[in-house]
Amino acid sequence: MTAKEERNKTLVLEAITSVFQRKDSLSVERLYAAYFIHHDPDLRQGRQVFAKIVAKLPSTVSYEPGLIIIAEGDYVALHGRLHGWATHLQIVIDIFRVEDGKLAEHWTVRQNDIAVESARSKVAMFSPDEASL
């Protein structure tokens, strides 16, 4: 992995932690590009809009990062678990594009978590020890 890809991974983890664990709306200006594009049909565009969302996040919302599944060039993809965003616990894949050291674009794929006991496969969708793999 290149030094740039390592920096991009660090940036993504810092952004996720700042937003979802610390609810630090000021980090949005520092970590996200002024022209940040969020590819989510439920959210309005703009870094300032996103900062307002972060400022209003309830304490019940948190993101549990797991595996960084891609860190290639300007792209980083992260597998995680999102608590409190929806009525159900969600498993997410977040893809970020980094430009000039800031997050420029973001895509999210979310699905409700299914307990191992209820899953046909009997395999967990997310494991807290992913981050250490």
Side-chain angles (χ1 to χ4, degrees):
M1 184 170 302
T2 68
K4 177 183 175 182
E5 290 164 344
E6 283 292 339
R7 284 191 306 272
N8 290 347
K9 279 176 51 176
T10 300
L11 172 64
V12 166
L13 289 173
E14 172 62 18
I16 290 290
T17 302
S18 295
V19 167
F20 289 103
Q21 267 66 353
R22 295 193 299 266
K23 316 296 191 275
D24 180 5
S25 60
L26 297 176
S27 72
V28 174
E29 185 172 342
R30 182 171 45 88
L31 302 173
Y32 293 77
Y35 49 85
F36 175 66
I37 299 168
H38 195 103
H39 295 274
D40 186 325
D42 296 327
L43 298 177
R44 294 181 61 204
Q45 292 300 311
R47 184 171 69 180
Q48 291 75 20
V49 172
F50 187 56
K52 287 178 184 177
I53 291 169
V54 173
K56 293 179 182 179
L57 285 176
S59 62
T60 54
V61 173
S62 66
Y63 188 103
E64 192 176 349
L67 291 171
I68 296 218
I69 53 179
I70 298 170
E72 186 173 310
D74 295 329
Y75 293 89
V76 175
L78 175 66
H79 184 245
R81 187 161 45 184
L82 185 57
H83 302 260
W85 186 265
T87 56
H88 292 85
L89 182 63
Q90 294 187 309
I91 305 301
V92 296
I93 294 184
D94 288 290
I95 304 167
F96 294 91
R97 183 177 66 80
V98 178
E99 185 175 293
D100 297 328
K102 292 193 175 194
L103 301 178
E105 287 187 86
H106 175 236
W107 298 261
T108 301
V109 179
R110 295 185 296 264
Q111 72 181 98
N112 291 341
D113 192 11
I114 304 294
V116 171
E117 304 80 40
S118 300
R120 288 183 190 164
S121 67
K122 302 300 181 206
V123 176
M125 295 174 67
F126 179 88
S127 175
D129 61 348
E130 282 187 14
S132 64
L133 298 177

